[in-house]
Amino acid sequence: MTPSPSPALAPDTLTVATCNLLNLALPEREFYANQTPYTQAQYTRKIQWLGGRFQALNADILAVQEVWDQAALMDALAASGLHYHFASVPGAENTEGRPGAMGTPRVGLATRLKVLATRSFSDFPAGLGQPIPGLGIHTRFERPPLVATLQMKRGQILTVLTCHLKSKRPKFLLDAAGNPLEDRDNPKIAALASLRSLVMRGVEATALRCLVIDLLRHTRMPLVVMGDFNDTPDSVTTQMISAASEVAYDRKARDRALFNAFDLLGDAALKKDVAYSHIHQGAPAVLDQILVSEEFDPRSRHAVGDVRRVDYFNDHLHEGRDRSRSDHGFVRALLRMRAPAPGSGIGDLSADLDAAGTFEQSTGGA
């Protein structure tokens, strides 16, 4: 008798979330020269609020942005009552006499999954730097993206990239002490300052695209890219990073493209009037995004999973501006991944971070 085939194992679920934490810093420490440090009471209130949000998200992977002190993130995770055995914010460490991030906050990751490798990228590929009017050549990420290789309980391996691109806020020139060198009330100078931010965000998007290509090309490793893009899904910078539009006329481009998790939900999804993560001057927009590789697109022959739902935790954006909360909504996606078939070798995959050979590894403090 021919033995009957083994029943297919049900796919495992995986929740991922991206959270801009709005200047998460320890109490009584200066982070921006023009902002008052948190008092102990303000810090406690912020930690409790974040702990409640993390508990509501209950994500297996948290991609976080705007962290000045890794110790503060640990406090917020502890306040959630959830167990994350790994949390890291490269460049914002508070151990061995390190003072946390300096100059600009950092991105990080917290997860319940097994961590196989992490790497923080600070420098752009050689030759990619671009001149910024009045600032010189922009050659490094202001907030280095973090790449992690993670493993689920049944052996599924995926790569997660956390990013935070330059904001649209005008980049005015300052002296070494942080004093303004330009007339901010001059509309022409303000336009030039906005151009600086645009060029910086554009070249950061290009560098991030190069990193994505290196992580995706010639591999079936699923990739999730999360973070604060400081631009909308249809913007030039986001499209540059994802390159999803290339798929329409080049099917081979799927191998190096990313897809917005929200778009993969299909027409039946509840999408109207709830999908935004930031409000600027009364206008809602999606700046915080979750992008996935074709391995999560059921239309792909290389699919190993799919996107079940995407939720926007944004009610607090209507509660008034308060730095104990965040000025961004948090975005969570529920993914599914099949376990690798016995003998398939899929479970032996590991992210080849050295494939991104044109990048230098960050050692913190960039």
Side-chain angles (χ1 to χ4, degrees):
M1 296 178 61
T2 302
S4 57
S6 302
L9 295 174
D12 295 314
T13 58
L14 174 71
T15 52
V16 302
T18 179
C19 312
N20 182 316
L21 306 183
L22 183 59
N23 292 321
L24 178 60
L26 291 172
E28 310 301 342
R29 83 92 120 188
E30 183 179 278
F31 43 95
Y32 284 130
N34 61 347
Q35 293 196 29
T36 305
Y38 296 113
T39 65
Q40 183 61 54
Q42 290 172 334
Y43 177 76
T44 299
R45 188 161 63 248
K46 188 174 183 73
I47 292 300
Q48 290 175 343
W49 185 85
L50 286 173
R53 301 290 77 73
F54 290 162
Q55 184 181 60
L57 289 167
N58 194 21
D60 299 304
I61 304 170
L62 284 172
V64 294
Q65 305 89 46
E66 290 204 22
V67 178
W68 290 92
D69 292 293
Q70 181 171 301
L73 175 63
M74 302 302 291
D75 285 345
L77 293 173
S80 74
L82 303 174
H83 176 64
Y84 289 93
H85 72 271
F86 176 89
S88 177
V89 188
E93 297 91 348
N94 301 99
T95 56
E96 300 177 355
R98 297 178 181 177
M102 303 301 291
T104 187
R106 296 302 186 101
V107 307
L109 184 83
T111 183
R112 295 191 280 239
L113 303 187
K114 181 179 180 181
V115 178
L116 301 181
T118 63
R119 186 170 174 182
S120 180
F121 294 85
S122 58
D123 293 337
F124 297 162
L128 186 61
Q130 296 296 316
I132 311 298
L135 290 176
I137 306 297
H138 189 39
T139 61
R140 295 163 66 88
F141 289 99
E142 281 201 334
R143 294 166 289 238
L146 175 63
V147 178
T149 310
L150 308 175
Q151 185 174 32
M152 297 173 65
K153 289 183 177 180
R154 286 203 285 162
Q156 305 97 315
I157 298 177
L158 72 157
T159 305
V160 175
L161 188 158
T162 306
C163 63
H164 186 185
L165 299 187
K166 179 70 182 71
S167 73
K168 296 180 181 179
R169 186 178 298 111
K171 183 77 171 181
F172 291 101
L173 298 182
L174 305 172
D175 64 16
N179 299 311
L181 294 174
E182 297 179 306
D183 180 6
R184 300 191 176 198
D185 295 326
N186 186 322
K188 293 183 179 179
I189 292 179
L192 178 59
S194 293
L195 174 64
R196 292 186 189 114
S197 295
L198 175 61
V199 177
M200 292 174 72
R201 188 170 63 261
V203 69
E204 286 184 355
T206 305
L208 192 63
R209 175 61 190 161
C210 291
L211 178 53
V212 166
I213 290 172
D214 287 339
L215 292 172
L216 286 178
R217 187 167 47 191
H218 308 312
T219 179
R220 295 269 61 90
M221 174 76 71
L223 174 64
V224 179
V225 176
M226 298 186 283
D228 179 359
F229 287 64
N230 266 313
D231 228 335
T232 57
D234 60 349
S235 67
V236 172
T237 52
T238 300
Q239 290 299 309
M240 185 186 303
I241 294 166
S242 70
S245 60
E246 296 181 12
V247 176
Y249 53 87
D250 181 6
R251 291 187 60 84
K252 294 181 180 179
R254 297 186 67 91
D255 179 59
R256 55 185 184 272
L258 295 171
F259 305 89
N260 195 301
F262 190 66
D263 294 336
L264 294 181
L265 290 175
D267 296 334
L270 296 175
K271 292 186 173 184
K272 299 298 182 182
D273 303 323
V274 296
Y276 58 90
S277 68
H278 189 66
I279 299 176
H280 179 65
Q281 297 180 350
V286 176
L287 302 184
D288 306 82
Q289 303 178 49
I290 298 176
L291 308 180
V292 298
S293 60
E294 69 167 322
E295 284 75 20
F296 291 103
D297 183 352
R299 298 169 297 183
S300 169
R301 62 190 179 93
H302 299 296
V304 296
D306 59 4
V307 181
R308 301 306 298 167
R309 63 181 294 157
V310 177
D311 298 299
Y312 293 79
F313 293 71
N314 51 24
D315 287 348
H316 63 273
L317 299 180
H318 302 279
E319 297 173 357
R321 184 64 180 266
D322 181 344
R323 64 180 188 164
S324 68
R325 298 189 290 266
S326 175
D327 59 345
H328 284 246
F330 300 162
V331 185
R332 182 185 66 186
L334 175 62
L335 311 176
R336 293 195 305 183
M337 283 186 67
R338 295 196 302 270
S344 67
I346 295 177
D348 297 327
L349 287 175
S350 62
D352 185 9
L353 300 186
D354 290 332
T358 53
F359 289 78
E360 297 295 332
Q361 184 168 5
S362 169
T363 57

